Amino acid sequence: DAKTTQPTSMDCAEGRAANLPCNHSTISGNEYVYWYRQIHSQGPQYIIHGLKNNETNEMASLIITEDRKSSTLILPHATLRDTAVYYCIVRVPGGSQGNLIFGKGTKLSVKP
Amino acid sequence: GAVVSQHPSWVICKSGTSVKIECRSLDFQATTMFWYRQFPKQSLMLMATSNEGSKATYEQGVEKDKFLINHASLTLSTLTVTSAHPEDSSFYICSAALAGTPGETQYFGPGTRLLVL
Protein backbone atom coordinates (compact mmCIF):
# COMPACT_ATOMS: atom_id res chain seq x y z
CA ASP A 1 0.00 0.00 0.00
CA ALA A 2 1.12 3.52 -0.73
CA LYS A 3 2.36 5.38 2.35
CA THR A 4 1.38 8.77 1.03
CA THR A 5 -1.81 10.80 0.68
CA GLN A 6 -2.31 13.21 -2.18
CA PRO A 7 -5.30 15.18 -3.46
CA THR A 8 -7.01 13.44 -6.34
CA SER A 9 -6.83 16.41 -8.68
CA MET A 10 -5.72 20.03 -8.93
CA ASP A 11 -5.98 22.82 -11.48
CA CYS A 12 -3.38 25.45 -12.16
CA ALA A 13 -3.30 28.42 -14.51
CA GLU A 14 -0.57 28.45 -17.12
CA GLY A 15 2.42 30.51 -16.00
CA ARG A 16 1.52 30.25 -12.33
CA ALA A 17 3.26 28.15 -9.73
CA ALA A 18 1.77 24.72 -9.11
CA ASN A 19 2.04 23.55 -5.52
CA LEU A 20 1.32 19.86 -5.06
CA PRO A 21 1.01 18.64 -1.47
CA CYS A 22 1.77 15.19 -0.11
CA ASN A 23 1.24 13.76 3.36
CA HIS A 24 3.54 11.01 4.59
CA SER A 25 2.95 11.05 8.32
CA THR A 26 4.36 7.55 8.90
CA ILE A 27 7.64 8.16 7.09
CA SER A 28 10.63 6.57 8.77
CA GLY A 29 14.03 8.14 9.28
CA ASN A 30 15.76 6.42 6.35
CA GLU A 31 12.99 6.89 3.79
CA TYR A 32 13.40 9.38 0.98
CA VAL A 33 10.55 11.33 -0.62
CA TYR A 34 10.40 10.91 -4.41
CA TRP A 35 8.27 12.64 -6.99
CA TYR A 36 7.48 11.24 -10.40
CA ARG A 37 4.96 12.28 -13.00
CA GLN A 38 3.24 10.39 -15.78
CA ILE A 39 2.01 12.14 -18.85
CA HIS A 40 -0.79 10.29 -20.60
CA SER A 41 0.35 7.05 -22.27
CA GLN A 42 4.00 7.52 -21.34
CA GLY A 43 6.31 5.99 -18.76
CA PRO A 44 6.77 7.87 -15.47
CA GLN A 45 9.33 10.67 -15.43
CA TYR A 46 11.58 11.25 -12.44
CA ILE A 47 11.27 14.79 -11.08
CA ILE A 48 13.11 15.14 -7.79
CA HIS A 49 13.80 13.47 -4.46
CA GLY A 50 14.95 14.45 -0.99
CA LEU A 51 15.57 13.15 2.49
CA LYS A 52 15.12 16.12 4.80
CA ASN A 53 16.57 19.20 3.17
CA ASN A 54 14.70 21.21 0.57
CA GLU A 55 15.85 20.40 -2.95
CA THR A 56 15.73 22.25 -6.26
CA ASN A 57 16.57 21.21 -9.79
CA GLU A 58 15.77 22.42 -13.27
CA MET A 59 12.28 20.94 -13.12
CA ALA A 60 10.97 21.68 -9.66
CA SER A 61 11.53 22.40 -5.99
CA LEU A 62 10.79 20.04 -3.15
CA ILE A 63 9.92 21.47 0.23
CA ILE A 64 9.94 18.98 3.12
CA THR A 65 8.57 20.02 6.50
CA GLU A 66 10.88 19.88 9.49
CA ASP A 67 9.06 16.89 10.97
CA ARG A 68 9.15 15.23 7.48
CA LYS A 69 5.49 14.31 7.71
CA SER A 70 4.57 16.23 4.60
CA SER A 71 6.10 17.79 1.54
CA THR A 72 5.21 20.05 -1.37
CA LEU A 73 6.35 19.83 -4.95
CA ILE A 74 6.55 23.21 -6.62
CA LEU A 75 6.54 23.75 -10.37
CA PRO A 76 7.47 27.43 -10.49
CA HIS A 77 5.94 28.34 -13.84
CA ALA A 78 3.51 25.68 -14.97
CA THR A 79 3.01 25.10 -18.69
CA LEU A 80 0.40 23.09 -20.55
CA ARG A 81 2.97 20.32 -20.95
CA ASP A 82 3.07 19.91 -17.17
CA THR A 83 -0.43 18.41 -17.26
CA ALA A 84 0.10 14.91 -15.84
CA VAL A 85 -0.48 12.64 -12.87
CA TYR A 86 2.04 13.41 -10.15
CA TYR A 87 3.10 10.67 -7.74
CA CYS A 88 4.64 11.23 -4.33
CA ILE A 89 6.41 8.09 -3.08
CA VAL A 90 8.45 7.35 0.03
CA ARG A 91 11.02 4.60 -0.07
CA VAL A 92 14.27 3.32 1.36
CA PRO A 93 16.81 3.13 -1.49
CA GLY A 94 17.91 -0.35 -2.50
CA GLY A 95 16.75 -3.83 -1.58
CA SER A 96 13.15 -4.99 -1.52
CA GLN A 97 12.19 -2.05 0.67
CA GLY A 98 13.35 0.20 -2.12
CA ASN A 99 10.57 -0.77 -4.50
CA LEU A 100 8.46 2.11 -5.73
CA ILE A 101 4.84 1.74 -4.64
CA PHE A 102 2.62 3.94 -6.77
CA GLY A 103 -0.58 5.30 -5.29
CA LYS A 104 -3.24 7.13 -7.26
CA GLY A 105 -1.32 10.41 -7.42
CA THR A 106 -2.62 13.89 -8.16
CA LYS A 107 -3.94 14.68 -11.59
CA LEU A 108 -2.69 18.19 -12.35
CA SER A 109 -4.47 20.06 -15.11
CA VAL A 110 -2.73 23.20 -16.32
CA LYS A 111 -5.21 25.48 -18.06
CA PRO A 112 -4.52 28.36 -20.45
CA GLY B 1 21.44 11.43 -19.06
CA ALA B 2 19.74 8.39 -17.47
CA VAL B 3 17.77 7.30 -20.52
CA VAL B 4 15.87 4.02 -20.63
CA SER B 5 14.45 2.63 -23.85
CA GLN B 6 11.91 -0.09 -24.55
CA HIS B 7 11.24 -2.06 -27.68
CA PRO B 8 8.75 -2.46 -29.17
CA SER B 9 6.62 0.53 -28.22
CA TRP B 10 3.48 -1.39 -29.09
CA VAL B 11 2.62 -4.90 -30.20
CA ILE B 12 -0.49 -6.76 -31.29
CA CYS B 13 -0.45 -10.53 -31.13
CA LYS B 14 -2.77 -13.49 -31.33
CA SER B 15 -3.86 -15.36 -28.24
CA GLY B 16 -1.46 -18.18 -27.38
CA THR B 17 1.65 -16.59 -28.81
CA SER B 18 4.63 -15.28 -26.86
CA VAL B 19 5.83 -11.70 -26.88
CA LYS B 20 9.27 -10.40 -25.87
CA ILE B 21 9.81 -6.85 -24.64
CA GLU B 22 13.30 -5.38 -24.30
CA CYS B 23 14.39 -2.77 -21.78
CA ARG B 24 17.74 -1.02 -22.14
CA SER B 25 19.55 1.58 -20.09
CA LEU B 26 21.27 3.62 -22.78
CA ASP B 27 23.79 5.76 -20.94
CA PHE B 28 24.29 4.09 -17.58
CA GLN B 29 24.73 0.69 -16.00
CA ALA B 30 21.79 -0.45 -13.94
CA THR B 31 22.31 -2.80 -11.05
CA THR B 32 18.60 -3.49 -10.86
CA MET B 33 15.77 -3.34 -13.36
CA PHE B 34 12.08 -3.43 -12.61
CA TRP B 35 9.01 -4.42 -14.60
CA TYR B 36 5.61 -2.82 -14.04
CA ARG B 37 2.18 -3.27 -15.54
CA GLN B 38 -0.51 -0.63 -15.82
CA PHE B 39 -4.13 -1.28 -16.73
CA PRO B 40 -6.34 1.55 -18.03
CA LYS B 41 -7.16 4.21 -15.45
CA GLN B 42 -5.08 2.42 -12.81
CA SER B 43 -1.72 3.07 -11.26
CA LEU B 44 1.49 1.18 -11.96
CA MET B 45 1.83 -2.22 -10.32
CA LEU B 46 5.26 -3.74 -9.77
CA MET B 47 5.55 -7.18 -11.35
CA ALA B 48 9.14 -8.16 -10.66
CA THR B 49 12.62 -7.00 -9.80
CA SER B 50 15.68 -8.33 -11.56
CA ASN B 51 19.40 -8.09 -10.94
CA GLU B 52 21.98 -8.84 -13.58
CA GLY B 53 22.96 -12.50 -13.62
CA SER B 54 20.46 -13.66 -11.04
CA LYS B 55 16.85 -14.82 -10.97
CA ALA B 56 14.11 -12.25 -10.83
CA THR B 57 12.04 -11.68 -7.72
CA TYR B 58 8.34 -11.69 -8.52
CA GLU B 59 5.61 -9.88 -6.64
CA GLN B 60 2.81 -11.86 -5.09
CA GLY B 61 0.27 -12.94 -7.66
CA VAL B 62 2.59 -12.62 -10.67
CA GLU B 63 3.23 -15.96 -12.37
CA LYS B 64 6.94 -16.42 -12.97
CA ASP B 65 6.38 -19.11 -15.60
CA LYS B 66 4.15 -16.80 -17.58
CA PHE B 67 6.24 -13.66 -17.32
CA LEU B 68 9.82 -14.72 -18.00
CA ILE B 69 12.48 -12.18 -17.13
CA ASN B 70 16.06 -12.37 -18.33
CA HIS B 71 18.56 -9.80 -17.10
CA ALA B 72 21.50 -10.61 -19.36
CA SER B 73 23.67 -7.57 -18.73
CA LEU B 74 23.86 -4.34 -16.76
CA THR B 75 22.09 -2.56 -19.62
CA LEU B 76 19.51 -5.09 -20.85
CA SER B 77 16.53 -6.86 -19.36
CA THR B 78 13.81 -8.69 -21.27
CA LEU B 79 10.27 -9.62 -20.34
CA THR B 80 8.62 -12.44 -22.25
CA VAL B 81 4.88 -12.87 -21.93
CA THR B 82 4.35 -16.54 -22.72
CA SER B 83 1.11 -17.90 -24.16
CA ALA B 84 -0.45 -14.47 -24.05
CA HIS B 85 -4.19 -14.12 -23.53
CA PRO B 86 -6.49 -11.11 -23.90
CA GLU B 87 -6.36 -10.44 -20.16
CA ASP B 88 -2.59 -9.86 -20.52
CA SER B 89 -3.31 -6.82 -22.66
CA SER B 90 -1.78 -3.93 -20.75
CA PHE B 91 0.86 -1.21 -20.70
CA TYR B 92 4.20 -2.74 -19.63
CA ILE B 93 6.84 -0.37 -18.30
CA CYS B 94 10.38 -1.05 -17.18
CA SER B 95 12.66 1.00 -15.00
CA ALA B 96 16.36 0.89 -14.21
CA ALA B 97 18.02 1.92 -10.99
CA LEU B 98 21.10 4.12 -11.27
CA ALA B 99 23.58 2.46 -8.97
CA GLY B 100 25.87 4.40 -6.72
CA THR B 101 23.79 7.56 -6.61
CA PRO B 102 22.16 8.89 -3.47
CA GLY B 103 18.69 7.44 -3.29
CA GLU B 104 19.31 5.02 -6.20
CA THR B 105 16.81 6.77 -8.41
CA GLN B 106 14.78 4.66 -10.83
CA TYR B 107 14.42 5.88 -14.40
CA PHE B 108 11.55 4.62 -16.51
CA GLY B 109 11.23 3.54 -20.10
CA PRO B 110 8.48 4.85 -22.38
CA GLY B 111 6.39 1.70 -22.02
CA THR B 112 5.16 -1.03 -24.34
CA ARG B 113 1.49 -1.34 -25.10
CA LEU B 114 0.45 -4.98 -25.63
CA LEU B 115 -2.85 -5.97 -27.22
CA VAL B 116 -3.68 -9.65 -27.33
CA LEU B 117 -6.48 -10.59 -29.71
Side-chain angles (χ1 to χ4, degrees):
Chain A
D1 293 333
K3 299 180 185 180
T4 62
T5 305
Q6 298 177 252
T8 303
S9 63
M10 292 181 65
D11 289 343
C12 177
E14 187 179 18
R16 300 290 206 134
N19 298 292
L20 293 93
C22 179
N23 285 321
H24 31 80
S25 58
T26 61
I27 192 170
S28 59
N30 58 350
E31 286 183 312
Y32 286 69
V33 180
Y34 285 78
W35 283 84
Y36 284 82
R37 72 180 182 185
Q38 187 176 26
I39 296 170
H40 185 61
S41 295
Q42 298 182 24
Q45 178 186 21
Y46 164 76
I47 302 174
I48 200 166
H49 75 278
L51 183 60
K52 48 185 170 182
N53 296 326
N54 297 337
E55 302 287 344
T56 295
N57 63 21
E58 64 278 4
M59 288 184 69
S61 294
L62 173 60
I63 308 298
I64 303 174
T65 58
E66 195 168 336
D67 63 7
R68 302 209 322 125
K69 293 185 177 182
S70 66
S71 60
T72 301
L73 179 74
I74 301 172
L75 308 179
H77 306 286
T79 70
L80 299 179
R81 286 181 293 184
D82 292 322
T83 292
V85 178
Y86 287 76
Y87 297 99
C88 169
I89 302 169
V90 296
R91 69 184 276 255
V92 176
S96 60
Q97 298 178 72
N99 294 338
L100 292 173
I101 308 297
F102 285 82
K104 297 186 185 301
T106 296
K107 185 172 183 179
L108 176 68
S109 299
V110 181
K111 300 181 184 299
Chain B
V3 178
V4 177
S5 71
Q6 280 184 243
H7 178 80
S9 55
W10 59 269
V11 58
I12 302 173
C13 70
K14 292 182 179 179
S15 186
T17 61
S18 294
V19 175
K20 180 186 282 188
I21 302 170
E22 287 188 353
C23 176
R24 293 181 185 272
S25 55
L26 298 185
D27 52 0
F28 67 98
Q29 292 189 326
T31 49
T32 308
M33 287 186 168
F34 304 82
W35 287 95
Y36 295 79
R37 181 166 53 180
Q38 185 175 32
F39 292 107
K41 299 190 185 301
Q42 294 186 22
S43 194
L44 281 79
M45 295 294 295
L46 179 66
M47 297 176 67
T49 303
S50 74
N51 292 291
E52 184 256 345
S54 61
K55 290 184 179 179
T57 301
Y58 290 81
E59 294 298 299
Q60 193 171 7
V62 178
E63 299 175 56
K64 63 179 180 180
D65 294 330
K66 181 168 183 62
F67 299 99
L68 301 179
I69 292 172
N70 183 17
H71 196 152
S73 74
L74 286 172
T75 59
L76 173 64
S77 176
T78 60
L79 169 69
T80 301
V81 183
T82 61
S83 187
H85 291 286
E87 58 265 30
D88 298 323
S89 298
S90 189
F91 191 43
Y92 291 87
I93 311 168
C94 72
S95 71
L98 185 53
T101 58
E104 286 190 22
T105 302
Q106 287 185 33
Y107 294 90
F108 286 80
T112 296
R113 198 163 296 281
L114 170 64
L115 177 62
V116 185
L117 302 177

